[in-house]
């Protein structure tokens, strides 16, 4: 048998295996442009189902699709209450191909190719006559699928009780997971077999968090990264989550089948819908090479093109800020300790005694502005500038901040003028303390104030339980809130970096003023006790799938006790901190340490001065989840390259062939590496800086310490 015949036979066998038991008919198969990915669709007993194979290997076994609708006691007779689970027959199906290259406003690469084959399946439900469309997009590196509900008299308003999208895994994969939770995504990632999630679950929950809302002992969040025993990397997440609740995955650990589990709102319901409408895309990335998980653009591609016409005001930004000193506990957000609590409008701050620990003073901010100007940083974030921090969190308090009134020792006007005179801008901070009603009421005034003083970026925050009380951080209504803020900000030419807001799903393609999100465990946890060294070699596989993270790297003084009473230390080496500017892609990068600490390690800080945060090209050179990531990036519009490598607590050796450099050119290469005896616990600040000339084809051999990393600039 020749190779082609053999491949054809293997393919037939795979399709037969995917189809398993006979389906009702109406089966369809569709392959990706390079034919590596294969989608099978069928209807089984009136229930739509699908499966996926990659290079002739099953990835998702037969999995069912459908939605349960609520029999809502509040619903009027106009609500459709019959589930959208079964009784379906195929009405029509269409196949098409799409191939387009687009340019992101900012990103890891200058161009992004969006190339897929599409299958549109129109279904009709017997008895009700209701119509539902399933749309599948099959890419070379994965599949996106979503439900669409056309406008129709048979289906108008409906309330989702649960979405029942299945992802049936083929085995007991290794998974990197955090517990499902309606309000927090700041847990440490667990590495375990799927079958071990249940026994590991209780310890994995961050019970100390104010709002822990776990729903099952096998519930996990997405993006969920997995690896099969035979070396397939599989990642499940979602794209374009708009006017819909965030999806979790609930595992049936007898069958290794995940099923979607949406975030409820205060009513317990999961989605209030009116046709025409659609769900977000459910995404499944697959490859036999871990690097493809990191370079995939599938999630961005499944989002709509940019809706902001003039994007000239959106720009990648490097910033420092009056921040880490508060997180570490050296200074405070609040101005006075005199008031145990504050009522907006009733407190005369001018008469209150300052506590002497307030961080955001005019004097201090001036110093940060000087530091930013001297070191080429674009902006200075200032937290604790506005009144209300005396009792800001966890009081179930609705009117916390007004976002417009500065503390008496913060000269809003003079500081902005001073910053602008030095070519620097201040970055606004809006901690909402999750009082969303309050924030929405003040939003226009807050953005007008920013416009008046020349701010063009805001960091928002959602610490604590949501008000309206009973709602959750990742519900449909909260997801609508976050997007509302981004859209309103765009009208004011303001970029948004939202902390504790929902994990991103690629919406930054459509609204590129969403330049950052936290939505995971950030550097702040190093001051609260630490994150494992493998944390940052997992995040690019999980949290970063949906969009950039404001991880706030660059803590060069890793031992906090050297300048504060905080006994904690950062769980990387100093060189490892530099690597994060490359391995944790973001158009918004903070130089998070204190100016004084940067002066102490000025030769290492040079890398942070030099490194870009917008790229024409990115090449993932090596990657393995929770082990190591090495990436080379070419700075936008220049010939400069930067390389970063980060590893876990085992250390790592990298051999990097500089094949990607321009032919015939000589580069000044500076390597910031762990010293021979460096170790994130015992000797974190041992680093060596070496300089040499290199050319295309030269080889760099670099050793990363336990919890270490390296950074290279090629100019
Ligand atoms: C939590 C955020 O992640 C952190 O960056 C911020 O400083 C505090 N909330 C206060 O808003
Ligand atoms: Ca946070």
């Amino acid at each position: 048998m020749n190779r082609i015949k053999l491949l054809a036979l293997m393919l037939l066998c795979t399709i037969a295996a995917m189809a398993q038991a006979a389906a009702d008919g109406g089966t369809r198969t569709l392959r990706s442009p390079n034919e590596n990915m294969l989608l099978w669709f069928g209807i089984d007993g009136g229930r739509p189902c699908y499966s996926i194979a990659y290079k002739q290997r099953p990835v998702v076994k037969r999995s069912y699709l459908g939605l349960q609708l609520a029999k809502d006691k509040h619903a009027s007779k106009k609500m459709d209450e019959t589930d959208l689970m079964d009784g379906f027959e195929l009405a029509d199906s269409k196949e098409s191909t799409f191939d387009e290259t687009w340019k992101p406003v900012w990103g890891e690469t200058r161009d992004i190719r969006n190339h897929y084959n599409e299958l549109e399946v129109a279904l009709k439900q017997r008895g009700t006559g209701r119509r539902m469309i399933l749309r599948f997009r099959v890419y070379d590196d994965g599949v996106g699928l979503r439900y669409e509900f056309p406008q129709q008299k048979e289906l108008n308003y409906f309330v989702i009780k649960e979405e029942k999208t299945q992802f049936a895994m083929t085995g007991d994969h290794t998974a990197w997971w955090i517990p499902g939770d309606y309000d927090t995504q700041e847990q440490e990632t667990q590495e375990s077999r799927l079958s071990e999630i249940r026994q590991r679950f209780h310890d994995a929950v961050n019970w100390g968090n104010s709002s822990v809302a776990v729903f099952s002992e096998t519930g996990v969040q997405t993006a969920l990264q997995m690896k099969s025993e035979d070396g397939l990397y599989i990642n499940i997440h979602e794209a374009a989550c708009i006017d819909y609740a965030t999806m979790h995955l609930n595992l049936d650990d007898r069958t290794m089948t995940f099923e979607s589990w949406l975030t409820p709102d205060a009513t317990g319901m999961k989605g209030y819908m009116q046709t025409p409408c659609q769900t977000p895309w459910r995404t499944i990335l697959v490859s036999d090479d871990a690097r493809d998980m990191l370079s995939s653009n599938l999630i961005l591609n499944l989002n709509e093109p940019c809706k902001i016409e003039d994007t000239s005001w959106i720009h990648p930004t490097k910033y420092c800020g009056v921040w880490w000193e508060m997180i570490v506990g050296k200074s405070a957000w609040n101005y006075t300790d005199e008031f145990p609590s504050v009522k907006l409008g009733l407190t005369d701050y001018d008469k209150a005694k300052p506590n002497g620990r307030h961080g955001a003073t005019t004097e201090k901010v001036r110093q940060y502005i000087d530091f930013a100007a001297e070191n080429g940083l674009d902006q200075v974030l200032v937290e604790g500038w506005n009144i209300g921090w005396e009792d800001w969190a966890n009081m179930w308090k609705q009117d916390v901040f007004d976002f417009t009134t500065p503390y008496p020792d913060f000269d809003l006007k003079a500081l902005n003028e001073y910053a602008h005179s030095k070519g620097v801008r201040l970055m606004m901070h809006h901690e909402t303390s999750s009082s969303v009603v309050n924030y929405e009421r003040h939003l226009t005034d807050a953005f007008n104030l920013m416009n008046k003083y020349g701010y063009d970026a805001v960091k928002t925050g959602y610490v604590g339980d949501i008000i309206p009380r009973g709602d959750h951080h990742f519900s449909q209504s909260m997801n609508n809130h976050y997007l509302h803020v981004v859209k309103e900000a765009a009208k004011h030419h303001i970029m948004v970096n939202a902390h504790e807001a929902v994990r991103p799903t690629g919406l930054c393609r459509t609204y590129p003023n969403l330049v950052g999100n936290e939505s995971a465990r950030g550097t702040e946890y190093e001051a609260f006790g630490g994150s494992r060294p493998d944390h940052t070699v997992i995040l690019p596989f999980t949290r970063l799938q949906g969009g950039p993270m404001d991880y706030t790297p660059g803590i060069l003084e890793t031992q906090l006790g050297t300048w504060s009473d905080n006994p904690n230390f950062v769980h990387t080496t100093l060189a490892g901190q530099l690597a994060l500017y490359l391995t944790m892609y973001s158009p918004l990068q903070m130089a998070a340490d204190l100016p004084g600490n940067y002066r102490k390690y000025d030769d290492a800080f040079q890398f942070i001065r030099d490194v870009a945060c917008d790229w024409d090209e990115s090449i993932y050179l090596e990657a393995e989840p929770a082990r190591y990531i090495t990436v080379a990036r070419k700075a936008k519009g220049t010939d400069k390259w930067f390389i970063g490598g980060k590893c876990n607590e085992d250390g790592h050796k990298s051999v990097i062939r500089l094949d990607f450099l321009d032919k015939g050119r000589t580069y000044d290469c500076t390597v910031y590496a762990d010293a021979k005896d460096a170790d994130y616990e015992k000797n974190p600040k041992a680093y060596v800086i070496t300089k040499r000339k290199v050319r295309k084809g030269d080889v760099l051999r670099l050793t990363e310490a336990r919890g270490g990393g390296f950074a290279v600039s090629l100019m």
Side-chain angles (χ1 to χ4, degrees):
M1 206 178 328
N2 67 27
R3 207 178 117 77
I4 306 238
K5 276 193 191 145
L6 181 69
L7 278 177
L9 186 69
M10 280 167 71
L11 188 64
L12 276 176
C13 295
T14 318
I15 294 174
M18 286 162 77
Q20 295 164 8
D24 293 357
T27 63
R28 297 285 181 274
T29 54
L30 184 69
R31 272 173 265 170
S32 67
N34 74 0
E35 313 224 326
N36 279 349
M37 205 70 63
L38 173 68
L39 169 85
W40 174 90
F41 170 81
I43 302 175
D44 174 16
R47 297 173 68 194
C49 49
Y50 76 101
S51 55
I52 295 172
Y54 171 79
K55 292 187 182 170
Q56 276 81 43
R57 289 147 78 180
V59 175
V60 179
K61 295 191 295 181
R62 179 183 291 207
S63 298
Y64 292 86
L65 299 168
L67 295 110
Q68 283 178 340
L69 304 194
K71 319 242 177 299
D72 182 359
K73 62 177 186 297
H74 304 293
S76 76
K77 290 197 188 69
K78 288 192 189 125
M79 291 287 174
D80 283 287
E81 296 183 340
T82 310
D83 291 336
L84 291 162
M85 292 291 291
D86 52 18
F88 286 106
E89 52 194 24
L90 189 78
D92 193 12
S93 79
K94 285 186 205 121
E95 282 179 24
S96 59
T97 296
F98 188 84
D99 189 3
E100 179 190 86
T101 298
W102 57 281
K103 288 189 191 305
V105 174
W106 43 261
E108 293 188 75
T109 54
R110 185 184 40 225
D111 301 302
I112 295 181
R113 187 171 180 196
N114 186 10
H115 189 197
Y116 59 82
N117 291 331
E118 180 175 282
L119 172 66
E120 177 189 326
V121 183
L123 300 170
K124 196 163 184 179
Q125 195 176 34
R126 278 189 295 272
T128 66
R130 294 185 298 181
R131 285 171 293 131
M132 178 169 89
I133 290 168
L134 293 172
R135 192 175 300 280
F136 298 91
R137 289 191 180 160
V138 186
Y139 289 83
D140 292 338
D141 59 357
V143 173
L145 68 95
R146 75 173 177 195
Y147 305 78
E148 296 174 3
F149 312 97
Q151 192 167 20
Q152 54 195 291
K153 66 175 186 323
E154 293 82 4
L155 184 67
N156 190 358
Y157 304 102
F158 61 100
V159 179
I160 297 173
K161 185 175 171 197
E162 193 58 87
E163 180 187 318
K164 303 290 247 182
T165 302
Q166 293 185 342
F167 307 86
M169 297 294 102
T170 57
D172 190 10
H173 303 331
T174 299
W176 288 271
W177 57 276
I178 58 174
D181 191 305
Y182 301 147
D183 289 291
T184 182
Q185 37 204 355
E186 298 189 354
Q187 303 88 333
E188 189 96 86
T189 305
Q190 304 297 314
E191 176 177 322
S192 80
R193 293 294 184 129
L194 295 178
S195 59
E196 293 164 338
I197 291 179
R198 187 182 294 280
Q199 79 212 44
R200 297 268 296 260
F201 193 85
H202 190 272
D203 294 337
V205 175
N206 183 356
W207 296 106
N209 195 289
S210 67
S211 30
V212 173
V214 300
F215 52 88
S216 141
E217 286 189 325
T218 53
V220 298
Q221 303 192 23
T222 73
L224 176 70
Q225 180 65 50
M226 289 171 279
K227 184 179 182 182
S228 71
E229 209 148 320
D230 60 347
L232 278 189
Y233 299 88
I234 305 162
N235 188 292
I236 304 179
H237 190 38
E238 57 180 318
C241 184
I242 297 175
D243 198 10
Y244 205 82
T246 296
M247 178 176 77
H248 299 81
L249 299 172
N250 198 27
L251 178 70
D252 177 340
D253 47 8
R254 291 159 309 160
T255 61
M256 299 304 165
T257 297
F258 287 106
E259 197 166 84
S260 52
W261 184 288
L262 303 180
T263 309
D265 65 13
T267 70
M269 292 302 138
K270 303 202 164 177
Y272 286 80
M273 313 290 282
Q274 183 183 1
T275 61
C277 55
Q278 67 212 17
T279 68
W281 293 96
R282 278 58 188 98
T283 61
I284 303 135
L285 301 183
V286 192
S287 179
D288 46 17
D289 183 336
R291 295 175 301 174
D292 296 341
M293 298 287 107
L294 304 180
S295 58
S296 174
N297 286 306
L298 184 143
I299 289 171
L300 283 179
N301 277 331
L302 287 170
N303 277 268
E304 294 292 314
C306 180
K307 286 199 172 156
I308 300 173
E309 247 167 61
D310 169 19
T311 57
S312 59
W313 50 275
I314 300 171
H315 52 88
T317 302
K318 238 192 279 181
Y319 73 104
C320 62
V322 184
W323 176 73
W324 185 234
E325 56 179 75
M326 272 101 85
I327 293 287
V328 168
K330 179 94 171 171
S331 66
W333 283 271
N334 56 311
Y335 168 78
T336 177
D337 295 336
E338 256 187 3
F339 318 130
S341 69
V342 181
K343 276 209 161 173
L344 274 188
L346 289 184
T347 308
D348 192 347
Y349 277 101
D350 284 324
K351 297 203 183 83
K353 191 166 145 246
N355 59 16
R357 299 194 313 125
H358 184 219
T361 64
T362 301
E363 186 41 40
K364 172 86 61 62
V365 174
R366 270 177 179 271
Q367 290 166 17
Y368 272 84
I369 293 169
D370 291 341
F371 176 74
E374 280 157 25
N375 294 290
L377 304 174
D378 309 297
Q379 302 209 351
V380 177
L381 165 74
V382 185
E383 297 199 3
W385 68 276
N386 58 325
I387 61 169
W389 286 90
E390 280 64 29
D391 62 345
W392 66 286
N394 300 320
M395 297 300 162
W396 278 124
K397 183 177 155 179
Q398 188 168 110
D399 295 324
V400 195
F401 296 109
D402 68 5
F403 310 97
T404 49
T405 313
Y407 278 129
D409 59 348
F410 180 84
D411 192 334
L412 184 62
K413 184 166 179 286
L415 281 170
N416 278 288
E417 283 169 3
Y418 184 66
H420 299 163
S421 77
K422 298 215 146 191
V424 171
R425 278 184 205 257
L426 295 190
M427 188 183 287
M428 180 48 84
H429 184 230
H430 290 164
E431 172 55 63
T432 68
S433 68
S434 291
S435 181
V436 175
V437 247
N438 180 58
Y439 190 39
E440 288 194 4
R441 281 178 197 147
H442 289 93
L443 196 61
T444 305
D445 288 346
F447 286 164
N448 283 340
L449 181 96
M450 288 179 62
N451 286 155
K452 180 173 168 193
Y453 289 106
Y455 290 83
D456 70 359
V458 62
K459 169 179 171 180
T460 60
Y462 296 85
V463 169
D465 300 325
I466 300 289
I467 299 178
R469 299 180 188 93
D471 202 353
H472 294 293
H473 277 74
F474 318 131
S475 68
Q476 180 186 25
S477 48
M478 279 306 298
N479 289 346
N480 288 346
H481 164 81
Y482 306 126
L483 190 54
H484 171 72
V485 172
V486 171
K487 287 186 191 171
E488 287 302 303
K491 291 182 195 160
H492 292 260
H493 286 193
I494 289 169
M495 301 181 283
V496 178
N497 165 27
H499 277 226
E500 294 89 30
V502 68
R503 43 196 170 275
T505 57
L507 288 173
C508 57
R509 176 181 180 190
T510 316
Y511 305 99
N513 66 317
L514 177 58
V515 290
N517 272 114
E518 180 192 43
S519 312
R521 190 181 177 92
T523 296
E524 60 185 4
Y525 278 82
E526 300 287 11
F528 309 156
S531 299
R532 290 193 324 262
D534 63 358
H535 183 56
T536 51
V537 250
I538 298 172
L539 287 175
F541 288 93
T542 54
R543 161 62 186 79
L544 268 62
Q545 290 293 359
M549 175 169 180
D550 182 33
Y551 188 70
T552 71
I555 308 300
L556 302 190
E557 183 42 84
T558 62
Q559 286 155 316
L560 309 181
T562 55
W563 60 273
S564 75
D565 295 334
N566 189 320
N568 293 305
F569 66 95
V570 175
H571 289 56
T572 72
T573 61
L574 184 150
Q577 284 291 308
L578 299 180
L580 298 176
Y581 290 90
L582 278 307
T583 57
M584 296 281 292
Y585 165 69
S586 175
L588 188 71
Q589 288 286 17
M590 187 171 196
D593 211 341
L594 270 51
N597 291 332
Y598 286 134
R599 286 193 192 103
K600 207 162 134 191
Y601 301 105
D602 188 67
D603 56 349
F605 181 55
Q606 185 59 39
F607 181 79
I608 301 179
R609 279 190 204 103
D610 291 337
V611 70
C613 46
D614 198 19
W615 311 98
D616 273 337
E617 249 181 275
S618 291
I619 307 171
Y620 286 92
L621 299 168
E622 326 171 82
E624 184 61 23
R627 306 294 185 268
Y628 52 81
I629 295 173
T630 307
V631 63
R633 303 191 194 268
K634 189 179 191 195
K636 189 101 155 225
T638 75
D639 296 319
K640 297 175 187 170
W641 282 86
F642 296 88
I643 313 172
K646 183 78 196 76
C647 69
N648 67 358
E649 60 275 25
D650 297 334
H652 182 65
K653 284 192 194 313
S654 289
V655 180
I656 300 169
R657 289 196 74 85
L658 301 172
D659 288 340
F660 42 85
L661 298 181
D662 284 345
K663 208 173 162 192
R665 198 183 274 266
T666 306
Y667 295 78
D668 290 323
C669 169
T670 310
V671 178
Y672 304 78
D674 290 320
K676 272 205 175 68
D677 54 350
D679 178 302
Y680 79 99
E681 282 176 305
K682 296 190 202 101
N683 196 14
K685 291 170 287 186
Y687 62 98
V688 214
I689 301 176
T690 47
K691 290 179 193 287
R692 56 187 266 205
K693 302 265 185 220
V694 297
R695 300 167 75 83
K696 183 182 170 78
D698 285 351
V699 176
L700 299 178
R701 285 171 210 282
L702 294 160
T703 302
E704 296 168 54
R706 291 180 69 235
F710 63 80
V712 178
S713 63
L714 296 150
M715 324 250 254

